[in-house]
């Protein structure tokens, strides 16, 4: 039987048979299909920035209501479990401290309770651990649930100045907030969360900047039974002097913040 080249009378080279790779079937590219059903729409709505912000508001409102109704801060000083003591009690106290601060319980009350229950040394450790824990809880909630919804609203000049300071100079700005009382603890936490401040500068500045004020309150709580003692009076002075300095600095910077 003559091949195609012989029948045509030409001298062309015969075409080699196709290889197995060439005969393999190339799978068609599958375009992912985006779900468009009711479940998908509900998921998008629930994960939207404003839905997450609404969840944050609900959580904070529930926490504040629980504090007002049940007054958990009283348990730290009055109803402490009798079977707990030493380091275990300090750990439980620190966890309770962190949860209470995230629920807007004032830190000075908790610091005084730490000194009254554990004394100066152990009370300071428990109070500082609780401070960092509570700040981390508030920062995480604000960053995950509130940042995406609130950042587009930062249009006022004063708010932009504060946001710029926290975003560009996070560590030193948070150190100033912690060292000089004036900005509420919870407000500083959530403002930092909405800014672009990183986790590490926030937590490190909180831990270091909270030491003087926390120590003063803890020592005052530990020496509350002797209010005329020199240690108690020094602790009260350490509490009052930074507050006065912070007020003076805020008064002198008011025109700068307004005009920025």
């Amino acid at each position: 039987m003559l091949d195609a080249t012989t029948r045509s009378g030409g001298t062309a080279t015969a075409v080699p048979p196709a290889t197995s790779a060439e005969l393999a079937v190339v799978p068609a590219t599958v375009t992912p299909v985006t779900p468009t059903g009711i479940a998908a729409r509900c998921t998008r709505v629930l994960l939207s920035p404003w839905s997450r912000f609404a969840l944050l508001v609900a959580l904070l409102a529930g926490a504040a209501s629980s504090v007002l109704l049940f007054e958990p801060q009283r348990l730290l000083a009055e109803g402490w479990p009798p079977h707990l003591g030493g380091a275990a009690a300090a750990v439980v106290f620190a966890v309770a401290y962190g949860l209470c601060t995230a629920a807007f319980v004032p830190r000075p009350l908790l610091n005084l309770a730490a000194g009254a229950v554990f004394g100066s040394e152990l009370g300071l450790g428990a109070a500082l651990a609780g401070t960092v824990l509570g700040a981390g809880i508030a920062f995480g909630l604000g960053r995950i649930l509130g940042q995406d919804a609130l950042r587009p609203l930062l249009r006022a000049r004063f708010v932009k100045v504060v946001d710029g300071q926290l975003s560009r100079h996070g560590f030193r700005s948070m150190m100033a907030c912690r060292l000089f009382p004036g900005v509420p603890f919870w407000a500083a936490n959530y403002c930092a969360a909405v800014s672009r401040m990183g986790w590490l500068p926030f937590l490190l500045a909180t831990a270091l900047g909270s030491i003087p004020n926390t120590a003063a309150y803890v020592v005052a709580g530990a020496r509350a039974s002797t209010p005329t003692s020199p240690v108690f009076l020094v602790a009260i002075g350490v509490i009052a002097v930074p507050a006065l300095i912070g007020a003076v600095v805020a008064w002198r910077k008011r025109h700068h913040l307004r005009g920025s």
Side-chain angles (χ1 to χ4, degrees), residues 81-98:
H83 60 279
L84 286 178
V91 171
V92 175
F93 183 95
V95 173
Y97 185 116

Side-chain angles (χ1 to χ4, degrees), residues 67-131:
V67 169
L68 293 176
L69 291 175
F70 301 107
E71 298 183 352
Q73 67 273 21
R74 295 178 57 186
L75 298 176
L76 298 177
E78 300 176 6
W80 194 249
H83 60 279
L84 286 178
V91 171
V92 175
F93 183 95
V95 173
Y97 185 116
L99 295 175
C100 286
T101 55
F104 308 112
V105 175
R107 285 182 61 248
L109 296 178
L110 300 176
N111 292 333
L112 291 171
V117 173
F118 299 105
S120 299
E121 293 80 7
L122 191 57
L124 176 59
L128 284 176
T131 296

Side-chain angles (χ1 to χ4, degrees), residues 27-211:
T29 302
V30 179
T31 303
V33 179
T34 303
T36 58
I38 297 178
R41 288 196 295 270
C42 292
T43 301
R44 286 196 297 270
V45 170
L46 291 175
L47 295 180
S48 66
W50 283 106
S51 295
R52 284 180 284 149
F53 179 69
L55 176 60
L56 175 62
V57 172
L59 288 175
L60 296 181
S65 300
S66 299
V67 169
L68 293 176
L69 291 175
F70 301 107
E71 298 183 352
Q73 67 273 21
R74 295 178 57 186
L75 298 176
L76 298 177
E78 300 176 6
W80 194 249
H83 60 279
L84 286 178
V91 171
V92 175
F93 183 95
V95 173
Y97 185 116
L99 295 175
C100 286
T101 55
F104 308 112
V105 175
R107 285 182 61 248
L109 296 178
L110 300 176
N111 292 333
L112 291 171
V117 173
F118 299 105
S120 299
E121 293 80 7
L122 191 57
L124 176 59
L128 284 176
T131 296
V132 176
L133 176 61
I137 293 173
F139 187 86
L141 289 175
R143 178 60 54 89
I144 296 171
L145 300 178
Q147 187 187 50
D148 292 340
L150 295 180
R151 280 206 65 82
L153 303 180
L154 303 181
R155 299 176 182 175
R157 181 176 300 177
F158 174 77
V159 175
K160 286 184 177 180
V161 171
V162 174
D163 177 67
Q165 286 293 323
L166 292 175
S167 299
R168 293 190 300 269
H169 311 291
F171 179 80
R172 74 183 189 188
S173 299
M174 190 52 54
M175 277 286 290
C177 291
R178 302 310 191 194
L179 285 173
F180 302 110
V183 180
F185 184 74
W186 62 269
N189 294 336
Y190 289 108
C191 287
V194 175
S195 73
R196 302 192 186 280
M197 183 187 301
W199 277 89
L200 182 60
F202 172 78
L203 294 177
L204 186 59
T206 296
L208 296 178
S210 299
I211 292 176

Side-chain angles (χ1 to χ4, degrees), residues 180-182 240-253:
F180 302 110
V241 170
L244 180 61
I245 294 176
V248 172
V249 172
W251 176 260
R252 296 185 61 181
K253 292 291 185 180

